[in-house]
Amino acid sequence: DASDATVSVDQADGIAAPAVLSLRINGKADAGTGGDVDTQLLLAHAPMLAKPGAKDAFVLGMGSGITAGALQAYPLEHIDVAENCEPVIRAAKLFEDWNYHVLDNPRVRVWHEDARTVLKLRPQLYDVIITEPSNPWTVGVGDVFSREFYELAARRLKPGGLVCQWFHTYEMQDDILALILRTFS
């Protein structure tokens, strides 16, 4: 538990398959080794394939650590991860078999801080910024879907750098989706 969240990891044993782990924040599943693992992996691989030769990456949100862990397959020099909820960082240890022990990699630096603060106060520039916050309607998340956040992220990109933004479209009204796309653009 933290002052702003209750974090849990659930395990569902499969009969013919390995157990499925789910990371929940305030009861809502935010990451896991089940159906959404492909999305977590794609969030690392898509921008890295679009930006070969990248040396520095930033990830907004630790979650299970699967996205940051997948980045370790590339010759990055630095992988910075910002996670403002300390129990999420602790929970990522339970996903070590899936995130390739990302918390133990010397190229990875985890900031127990809000991503906006890390980007604002550190002069580091990145080739790739991956942002995978929780759902836009989750309390406290709206700021990372804002014009100000995207402008801050753009200022932290090296020339030719890119931002990869994850969000889902289920349980979202079309006007909210359009707003997010306009703001990102």
Side-chain angles (χ1 to χ4, degrees):
D1 281 333
S3 62
D4 60 342
T6 297
V7 178
S8 64
V9 176
D10 305 330
Q11 178 176 319
D13 294 323
I15 295 171
V20 173
L21 298 176
S22 296
L23 173 75
R24 296 180 183 277
I25 301 175
N26 294 329
K28 187 213 170 286
D30 270 331
T33 63
D36 70 342
V37 75
D38 294 341
T39 301
Q40 295 167 79
L41 292 168
L42 186 61
L43 273 165
H45 295 303
M48 293 306 296
L49 293 172
K51 188 69 179 159
K55 298 294 180 202
D56 301 289
F58 180 87
V59 181
L60 183 156
M62 173 60 77
S64 64
I66 291 173
T67 299
L71 289 172
Q72 297 173 111
Y74 298 91
L76 291 163
E77 294 173 3
H78 304 101
I79 303 168
D80 287 343
V81 182
E83 175 57 61
N84 62 354
C85 187
E86 196 273 332
V88 171
I89 298 168
R90 288 196 325 261
K93 292 288 266 180
L94 299 172
F95 291 86
E96 287 181 332
D97 290 343
W98 291 85
N99 66 29
Y100 305 104
H101 298 265
V102 68
L103 296 173
D104 300 327
N105 188 317
R107 294 183 298 154
V108 177
R109 182 160 187 188
V110 178
W111 298 88
H112 174 210
E113 185 62 71
D114 181 79
R116 294 168 302 161
T117 302
V118 175
L119 290 174
K120 192 179 293 184
L121 297 180
R122 294 196 69 241
Q124 175 74 39
L125 298 179
Y126 299 95
D127 296 296
V128 172
I129 295 176
I130 299 169
T131 172
E132 53 178 327
S134 192
N135 303 308
W137 61 81
T138 304
V139 174
V141 173
D143 288 346
V144 295
F145 287 99
S146 69
R147 179 179 177 172
E148 292 78 15
F149 174 76
Y150 293 130
E151 289 172 346
L152 173 60
R155 288 193 305 271
R156 289 295 175 249
L157 289 174
K158 294 178 183 178
L162 60 90
V163 173
C164 179
Q165 168 73 62
W166 173 89
F167 66 92
H168 62 78
T169 57
Y170 65 84
E171 297 179 0
M172 189 179 304
Q173 297 174 352
D174 289 345
D175 57 338
I176 300 297
L177 175 61
L179 175 64
I180 292 171
L181 292 173
R182 276 194 318 272
T183 305
F184 185 86
S185 295

